[in-house]
Amino acid sequence: MQTVEVNTAPDYRVHIGHGAYQQFKDEYRPLLNGADKIAVVADEQAWSHHGSLLLDALGGLDLRVLKIPAGEQAKNADTFMAIHSFLLENNCSRKSVLIAFGGGAAGDVAGFAASTFMRGIVYFQCPTTILAHDSAVGGKTAINHPSGKNMIGTFYQPAAVLYETRTLATLPEGEVRSGMAEVIKHAFISNPGWLEELLKIRQFSAMPDKELETHLAKGIAVKAAIVEEDEQEHGARKFLNFGHTLAHAIEGNAGYGQVTHGEAVALGMVFDLLIEEHPRTDEYVDWCRANGYPLNLLTALAFDNLLPYMKRDKKSSGGELVFIALPETGVPAVAVLTEEKARIIYGKLQNKIREVLA
């Protein structure tokens, strides 16, 4: 098992690997014993597969479990209010502890509820997907609005992140692709050597568990370092949005949950790489093709269908479109584009994808 320190206010640890939930019996047992109630908000799919792992680690404690829908469909005001109702019905208080169990969407909405219930209670993140190695770390919590992704939320750090990698064994192929997109995002913005390793992968299922754990720990360390520098996204933390401006537009246009977040990010990164003509763009597009990312989605999707969502992106203001460019690996930069410039780059993106798929 590996551990990454996140030095925010408050600071906390991310425990990654087989047996991570053992920390509930050891390091965090005093905190749990001091709670008047322990509530678990669980992604129903993750709970059906792996809830027993968490229950075993929390043996002897009085738990209340609320199961919520899996995926982006859970990140809405109805689920948020349902969690609050559940906490109130079970007489939870400021001394209660909440455990978020599931993928990134479950962690986001449960974390948001924890940050607002009685103005904030202690909570743990227990991510069960590869994608959630990104979302579970850094303290961003949110729900979606029909007009934009993650528009309603808070910055609220967990007491700890316990990342039990045994839960990754049952992930469907699409969710593995989704998570690995965020892994390679972290490599692009930080480390040429690591990027080289990832671009050689042509079949995710062939990765040994230990290799995957190492990649996840590297990604978490990259995110932790950036979050420590800029906890509330006033500067460097924006670089973590590499690929996300177009990605959020793709998700919004398709309807949240119709395209996985990571697959949309994989496509969005092609756009951001083209802003400064990154030298590994062609190699990356071929990596996407080899690993089954849905490149064809963009060949027939008009720029004008995506533009309204990009204009509402949280990074944008005054009608300007804001992206994260990458002139070279490990050197991200904010790029403010006119609508016309973005339209031209999107056309280049479509042409490049057509060439690769021909």
Side-chain angles (χ1 to χ4, degrees):
M1 187 173 67
Q2 301 185 49
T3 302
V4 176
E5 301 278 349
V6 185
N7 296 309
T8 53
D11 58 5
Y12 58 96
R13 294 180 179 182
V14 184
H15 307 274
I16 313 146
H18 187 290
Y21 292 163
Q22 179 65 30
Q23 299 305 311
F24 277 131
K25 295 182 177 180
D26 298 334
E27 184 171 347
Y28 303 109
R29 183 52 59 122
L31 191 159
L32 295 174
N33 285 341
D36 61 358
K37 296 284 191 308
I38 300 173
V40 178
V41 176
D43 169 323
E44 59 187 2
Q45 286 187 8
W47 188 258
S48 68
H49 289 298
H50 303 294
S52 59
L53 290 173
L54 185 64
L55 289 174
D56 179 64
L58 297 172
L61 296 171
D62 185 16
L63 306 177
R64 300 291 186 273
V65 180
L66 173 68
K67 287 176 271 189
I68 63 174
E72 286 291 316
Q73 61 183 321
K75 283 180 59 173
N76 56 45
D78 289 341
T79 305
F80 172 74
M81 291 304 294
I83 295 171
H84 276 269
S85 296
F86 170 76
L87 296 174
L88 290 167
E89 288 162 5
N90 284 281
N91 299 313
C92 292
S93 74
R94 287 181 174 176
K95 294 183 179 180
S96 300
V97 170
L98 186 149
I99 297 173
F101 180 87
D108 280 359
V109 67
F112 184 31
S115 76
T116 52
F117 182 72
M118 297 192 177
R119 298 191 175 94
I121 59 173
V122 170
Y123 88 109
F124 289 87
Q125 285 277 11
C126 292
T128 61
T129 66
I130 298 173
L131 182 68
H133 90 280
D134 179 73
S135 59
V137 178
K140 278 188 176 181
T141 78
I143 56 175
N144 299 330
H145 187 279
S147 296
K149 186 177 172 72
N150 296 331
M151 287 294 170
I152 306 165
T154 58
F155 290 95
Y156 193 68
Q157 304 295 345
V161 179
L162 277 64
Y163 200 171
E164 171 54 74
T165 50
R166 281 179 289 177
T167 64
L168 306 180
T170 56
L171 289 178
E173 186 178 340
E175 284 300 322
V176 174
R177 276 196 302 272
S178 182
M180 289 305 296
E182 290 281 7
V183 172
I184 203 168
K185 176 202 79 174
H186 286 130
F188 263 120
I189 65 174
S190 69
N191 189 318
W194 181 27
L195 177 64
E196 184 83 30
E197 292 177 33
L198 291 170
L199 286 173
K200 291 177 181 176
I201 298 173
R202 287 295 190 267
Q203 189 176 356
F204 295 138
S205 60
M207 271 192 302
D209 290 346
K210 276 295 181 184
E211 181 182 339
L212 175 58
E213 182 180 315
T214 297
H215 288 313
L216 294 174
K218 284 182 177 180
I220 289 168
V222 169
K223 183 160 190 181
I226 292 175
V227 169
E228 288 167 9
E229 180 182 344
D230 176 26
E231 188 171 343
Q232 298 199 1
E233 202 170 306
H234 299 303
R237 188 164 182 170
K238 292 179 181 178
F239 299 151
L240 292 167
N241 289 309
F242 177 56
H244 282 59
T245 301
L246 183 63
H248 288 166
I250 293 168
E251 291 179 90
N253 178 76
Y256 297 115
Q258 299 305 304
V259 181
T260 70
H261 175 65
E263 288 177 325
V265 169
L267 304 181
M269 284 190 284
V270 182
F271 183 99
D272 285 6
L273 289 171
L274 286 169
I275 296 172
E276 295 281 355
E277 301 288 350
H278 189 283
R280 307 203 76 159
T281 303
D282 288 347
E283 190 177 355
Y284 170 68
V285 174
D286 185 61
W287 180 88
C288 288
R289 179 201 56 77
N291 285 299
Y293 288 91
L295 294 168
N296 61 302
L297 279 179
L298 295 185
T299 56
L301 183 54
F303 179 81
D304 287 333
N305 288 16
L306 301 172
L307 183 60
Y309 296 95
M310 290 190 284
K311 285 184 173 179
R312 287 194 293 266
D313 187 87
K314 297 188 300 301
K315 299 182 297 300
S316 300
S317 63
E320 294 178 321
L321 304 178
V322 180
F323 301 85
I324 304 301
L326 200 67
E328 59 182 282
T329 304
V331 188
V334 173
V336 180
L337 304 183
T338 64
E339 180 181 323
E340 187 54 35
K341 178 65 173 176
R343 188 185 299 275
I344 291 170
I345 294 172
Y346 187 76
K348 290 181 180 180
L349 166 60
Q350 289 184 310
N351 289 337
K352 187 170 289 292
I353 289 175
R354 291 189 185 106
E355 289 172 8
V356 169
L357 298 181

